[in-house]
Amino acid sequence: MAMDPHHPTPAYLSFWRERHLCTLTTPRPDGTPHVVPVGVTYDPEAGVARVLASRTSAKVRNILAAEAAEAAGASGARVAVCQVDGRRWATLEGHARVRTEAAEIAEGERRYEERYGRPPRPNPQRAVIEITLTRAMGQKPLLTP
């Protein structure tokens, strides 16, 4: 079932505020999916999910390659983040871009610490993958008001 990511149900939002390891799926340049474990924060008011990453990581390189392809006329980096806890699951989809501005990194780190209860490990090569959300999906009970 799908819903508007800007207007999640209380149960859906609560699930995204619990401490869970998530996955991020990005498209490789050849179109195959690249799936890695990540921490994710969800900001429904802004319609954004954030993932902290190293600027040299494969996930960042995949998004940058998709951005370059977008400039050349392709669709850009369509990504998904997902979390599972037993039978409960939730997925957020959208378009990703890599942010390297100090204010964006600080905001990503703040939200990570808020959700995961500890600051992220130091990383001088830190970037934030900012996902402008287009769809939210999940287990039916999480979507029902």
Side-chain angles (χ1 to χ4, degrees), residues 39-95:
V40 176
T41 61
Y42 174 31
D43 179 0
E45 294 82 18
V48 168
R50 293 176 181 86
V51 174
L52 299 180
S54 177
R55 294 177 192 188
T56 59
S57 68
K59 56 189 160 283
V60 165
R61 289 193 313 270
N62 289 341
I63 292 166
L64 292 174
E67 287 177 354
E70 182 177 14
S75 63
R78 297 224 12 111
V79 303
V81 291
C82 183
Q83 66 181 22
V84 177
D85 179 39
R87 292 181 159 202
R88 297 184 305 158
W89 64 274
T91 299
L92 297 167
E93 295 179 3
H95 292 88

Side-chain angles (χ1 to χ4, degrees), residues 13 16-18 20 22 38-44 47-52 81 83 92 104 107-117 128-131 133:
L13 184 56
W16 277 101
R17 290 192 170 148
E18 294 173 11
H20 293 290
C22 304
V38 294
V40 176
T41 61
Y42 174 31
D43 179 0
V48 168
R50 293 176 181 86
V51 174
L52 299 180
V81 291
Q83 66 181 22
L92 297 167
E104 296 301 327
E107 180 66 6
E109 291 172 338
R110 181 189 72 76
R111 288 178 179 274
Y112 179 96
E113 184 171 359
E114 183 179 277
R115 180 174 188 197
Y116 291 99
V128 174
I129 297 171
E130 184 179 84
I131 305 164
L133 301 172

